[in-house]
Amino acid sequence: MLVDVTARATKAERRASEAAEARDSLTSSFNQLETDREWMRCHGIGHIVKAILDAPETATGIDLIKQRDRDAGFKAGYNRCIGHMNILTQGKYTDEWYGFHGVDTEGLLNATLASFYDMSIYALEKLDECLDAEDYVDRLRMLYADAKESEEEEAAGDGKGGAGTSGTK
């Protein structure tokens, strides 16, 4: 009987120990998730947005869209102006001498917009690689570690107690 009680007590202690280990493991996991969430809120999302906005592909695409939109607007405005002039002059004016005569500026604008939305941005490809991994927050931290270090260097100056100047006049 004593052996039976001792065996049950040992079994209960083992289960209690396993439960405590599981609780500690869950607590550790929860704390890591909380830390990761906080880093994503405070740093990760900002780095991602900055990477997209600062990507050369984004700037080039936006510039081309602005140019195509300007061209389409100029053509529409020119044709509208010709339409108003023709009311007064019985149709003497045409757009033959205008640089966009026969050019489908709206079609070019639509094609440019479609191309922009379908383009591949290198920064997003790197981001996708990170997000596909199980430890995506750690990978994002490594991906944006250089950006964080350069920001800290800019904020701290030259590290010699100066304000980031060369010290020469």
Side-chain angles (χ1 to χ4, degrees):
M1 178 138 155
L2 184 62
V3 173
D4 190 37
V5 171
T6 305
R8 282 190 275 161
T10 303
K11 191 186 244 183
E13 286 175 2
R14 186 175 45 236
R15 280 188 281 157
S17 176
E18 289 172 0
E21 287 176 15
R23 184 192 70 226
D24 291 344
S25 176
L26 287 173
T27 301
S28 175
S29 295
F30 176 76
N31 290 340
Q32 184 61 46
L33 287 172
E34 195 171 66
T35 302
D36 290 349
R37 179 188 60 85
E38 190 63 27
W39 183 85
M40 284 297 291
R41 268 186 67 224
C42 294
H43 304 288
I45 294 170
H47 284 302
I48 292 167
V49 170
K50 185 175 180 350
I52 293 169
L53 293 177
D54 291 348
E57 301 93 338
T58 303
T60 303
I62 295 292
D63 287 343
L64 187 58
I65 289 171
K66 287 183 346 188
Q67 178 185 351
R68 297 286 190 237
D69 188 45
R70 190 178 309 118
D71 293 347
F74 284 157
K75 182 176 181 181
Y78 189 80
N79 286 334
R80 185 171 180 204
C81 183
I82 288 175
H84 291 140
M85 294 296 291
N86 282 335
I87 291 172
L88 299 174
T89 61
Q90 286 103 23
K92 291 182 184 177
Y93 295 98
T94 65
D95 68 348
E96 288 179 1
W97 298 101
Y98 183 57
F100 293 114
H101 176 70
V103 177
D104 182 13
T105 55
E106 289 293 326
L108 288 174
L109 175 61
N110 291 335
T112 302
L113 285 170
S115 172
F116 179 76
Y117 290 125
D118 291 338
M119 82 174 162
S120 175
I121 298 176
Y122 178 74
L124 288 179
E125 291 172 6
K126 297 302 279 181
L127 178 66
D128 280 343
E129 290 174 14
C130 291
L131 293 177
D132 287 340
E134 191 172 308
D135 60 340
Y136 69 93
V137 176
D138 293 333
R139 290 182 185 226
L140 287 173
R141 283 183 177 142
M142 287 188 293
L143 179 65
Y144 297 120
D146 295 335
K148 183 179 177 185
E149 289 172 3
S150 65
E151 288 173 5
E152 288 173 355
E153 287 173 7
E154 287 176 14
D158 62 0
K160 299 176 186 172
T165 61
S166 64
T168 60
K169 291 187 179 185

